[in-house]
Amino acid sequence: MADSFELIVTRKDPVLVSPASETPKGLHYLSNLDQNIAIIVKTFYYFKSNTRSNEESADVIKKSLSEVLVHYYPAAGRLAISPEGKIAVNCTGEGVVVVEAEANCGIEKIKEAIWEIDQPETLEKLVYNVPGARNILEIPPVVVQVTNFKCGGFVLGLGMNHNMFDGIAAMEFLNSWAETARGLPLSVPPCLDHTLLRPRTPPKIEFPHNEFEDLEDISGTGKLYSDEKLVYKSFLFGPEKLEKLKIMAETKTTTFQTLTGFLWRARCQALGYKPDQRIKLLFAADGRSRFVPELPKGYSGNGIVFTYSVTTAGEVTLNPLSHTVGLVKSAVEMVTDGFMRSAIDYFEVTRARPSLTATLLITSWVKLSFHTKDFGWGEPVVSGPVGLPEKEVILFLPCGSDTKSINVLLGLPGSAMKVFEGLMDI
């Protein structure tokens, strides 16, 4: 059976891949929106061509990386703390960490893990973790592992720092890298100027910013998480199921708003929150087109801002679905240029980061073009995340070229997952 097979990956020593030519040095400014999410986002891409073996995989990946880093030179630097006490990038040009590796099997042996994406312990072997790193500052902004499989395919495993790349910026970097591997010019050259999102002088906080509020856990949820093993599951929402949800919501909303409201409600019920437990929904809205003026095409940083809804568990679980979906819709409508500038200034004054107690953080990768990266072996056969960055995260994922379905990935304590699974049957 596929799931009883143990994947063994043998790694060579890591090497540093530097930009192919001289690049600017010195401290590179990261905006206040870049400060919010200090995590490494791990993804994998499986390539298999009928006409090209994996013999050159690592060489092609390294050569094209060296060339694309000339355009994305901060990625070859290292994180640092600026004189203002914020995360910045020291552009040293020392390079991206790249590791070549061999798997003990063909990809078919781990098919279940990579197609269901709910076995992070197997997928983790395909991404390199820098040994001994005690915090985010000690992990290079981009870490690459190229794992060749006995079937002739290979997996590109990436660890990318969210302080430097949000989802859109990461996909544009990958696309530029793949274009470079195929000898093409960059279709979207990066805009590296994060000073476009500097705070105002003096800062103006014009909105309440409850996205940063630290809620008290009065329902014993923390104990549930520490007592029970986290179980990961993915749930497929096809067009029929999504349409059924919209009918249940009894209100005109988007697919994102309806699905988010439904999942927030189900997760509250599954975790057994007390009715008076204050809870929070957080999700990232892309501000690129909402800023005035709009951010330039190719803006390579965090163009996302967190929006929120704070309420009680009772209000979400005891009211019809339409009420919860309405809360999500209001959170979406809150995101204006004024709100985003206020959030930037709020961080300048408080240095607060979003708190995740009693919180659900929805991250949608549905509009990210995971499946269109061609390094010369065709588009990935399959790609996706390696685990979840935080236990409070639910990830919305695209289903390859099927644009009408959404794959939902989350982790919950075992007993809560049993309840949640039952609630997914609609």
Side-chain angles (χ1 to χ4, degrees):
M1 273 177 63
D3 57 358
S4 61
F5 177 82
E6 189 192 353
L7 171 67
I8 297 170
V9 171
T10 308
R11 296 185 177 105
K12 292 184 182 176
D13 289 339
V15 297
L16 288 173
V17 173
S18 306
S21 56
E22 195 60 32
T23 53
K25 301 294 186 286
L27 215 55
H28 176 73
Y29 176 83
L30 295 182
S31 81
N32 286 355
L33 295 186
D34 295 319
Q35 309 295 316
N36 270 335
I37 318 173
I39 58 168
I40 302 297
V41 178
K42 298 176 181 181
T43 53
F44 75 92
Y45 309 82
Y46 169 57
F47 298 95
K48 175 81 162 66
S49 166
N50 293 328
T51 56
R52 190 176 186 183
S53 78
N54 58 17
E55 280 176 35
E56 305 171 286
S57 58
D59 291 340
V60 170
I61 294 294
K62 286 191 287 191
K63 183 175 183 292
S64 52
L65 176 60
S66 176
E67 290 164 3
V68 83
L69 284 174
V70 175
H71 304 277
Y72 284 89
Y73 62 86
R78 295 296 179 264
L79 290 190
I81 298 296
S82 71
E84 299 90 54
K86 291 192 271 193
I87 295 174
V89 186
N90 186 11
C91 295
T92 58
E94 61 193 277
V96 166
V97 173
V98 179
V99 176
E100 293 178 48
E102 293 278 345
N104 64 332
C105 61
I107 203 78
E108 68 283 350
K109 290 283 191 185
I110 59 160
K111 191 173 179 180
E112 192 178 311
I114 66 168
W115 259 267
E116 296 296 323
I117 58 167
D118 55 8
Q119 295 178 30
E121 60 284 349
T122 296
L123 297 176
E124 281 282 354
K125 296 174 183 179
L126 302 173
V127 179
Y128 182 65
N129 287 323
V130 175
R134 292 164 298 180
N135 56 52
I136 198 104
L137 298 175
E138 296 182 3
I139 302 170
V142 180
V143 175
V144 178
Q145 181 174 315
V146 182
T147 307
N148 281 349
F149 281 78
K150 293 191 183 301
C151 56
F154 71 95
V155 168
L156 176 64
L158 298 178
M160 295 182 71
N161 183 294
H162 208 307
N163 296 110
M164 290 179 63
F165 301 95
D166 65 9
I168 290 170
M171 286 297 120
E172 287 177 349
F173 168 73
L174 260 175
N175 199 48
S176 297
W177 183 5
E179 286 172 334
T180 304
R182 302 199 315 279
L184 301 173
L186 305 195
S187 55
V188 184
C191 166
L192 301 175
D193 184 8
H194 295 211
T195 64
L196 295 169
L197 295 179
R198 272 197 188 281
R200 294 168 290 196
T201 308
K204 286 191 284 189
I205 300 169
E206 299 166 313
F207 291 82
H209 286 285
N210 299 41
E211 66 267 40
F212 299 99
E213 189 182 347
D214 199 1
L215 305 177
E216 188 187 351
D217 173 17
I218 63 164
S219 303
T221 316
K223 187 175 185 313
L224 185 66
Y225 273 100
S226 60
D227 287 354
E228 295 188 21
K229 188 174 186 287
L230 214 56
V231 175
Y232 291 92
K233 286 253 189 291
S234 59
F235 299 89
L236 183 65
F237 285 80
E240 287 175 15
K241 205 166 182 179
L242 291 170
E243 195 51 46
K244 194 171 180 184
L245 276 182
K246 283 188 176 179
I247 294 164
M248 285 167 64
E250 303 170 320
T251 177
K252 192 166 170 50
T253 56
T254 65
T255 298
F256 173 83
Q257 291 164 13
T258 311
L259 184 55
T260 296
F262 173 70
L263 294 169
W264 189 21
R265 198 161 175 259
R267 186 175 176 274
C268 287
Q269 290 169 320
L271 287 169
Y273 284 143
K274 292 180 176 176
D276 57 343
Q277 169 72 57
R278 294 189 74 231
I279 58 169
K280 179 167 49 178
L281 171 72
L282 279 181
F283 56 91
D286 181 24
R288 282 167 173 74
S289 61
R290 291 179 167 107
F291 278 108
V292 182
E294 291 185 10
L295 290 178
K297 194 169 162 60
Y299 181 77
S300 187
N302 283 274
I304 56 171
V305 66
F306 281 117
T307 186
Y308 67 89
S309 180
V310 176
T311 182
T312 62
E315 193 181 342
V316 165
T317 57
L318 303 175
N319 277 308
L321 178 60
S322 57
H323 181 76
T324 308
V325 172
L327 295 176
V328 179
K329 191 177 183 186
S330 299
V332 172
E333 290 166 350
M334 199 158 59
V335 184
T336 59
D337 178 74
F339 175 80
M340 295 188 294
R341 303 269 176 200
S342 177
I344 289 168
D345 292 358
Y346 184 88
F347 181 86
E348 191 64 20
V349 172
T350 64
R351 299 296 166 94
R353 287 189 170 84
S355 163
L356 293 180
T357 305
T359 296
L360 167 59
L361 172 53
I362 297 272
T363 301
S364 178
W365 291 2
V366 168
K367 292 182 178 164
L368 301 182
S369 51
F370 269 89
H371 61 287
T372 59
K373 311 289 168 262
D374 178 1
F375 286 83
W377 283 263
E379 294 182 356
V381 179
V382 63
S383 58
V386 175
L388 293 168
E390 303 282 354
K391 66 182 187 301
E392 296 84 3
V393 170
I394 290 184
L395 201 48
F396 290 6
L397 293 159
C399 299
S401 54
D402 173 7
T403 55
K404 292 190 164 57
S405 299
I406 297 174
N407 206 6
V408 170
L409 177 67
L410 76 155
L412 282 172
S415 61
M417 184 58 88
K418 280 202 177 79
V419 177
F420 187 87
E421 278 188 273
L423 296 168
M424 292 304 100
D425 293 330
I426 56 166

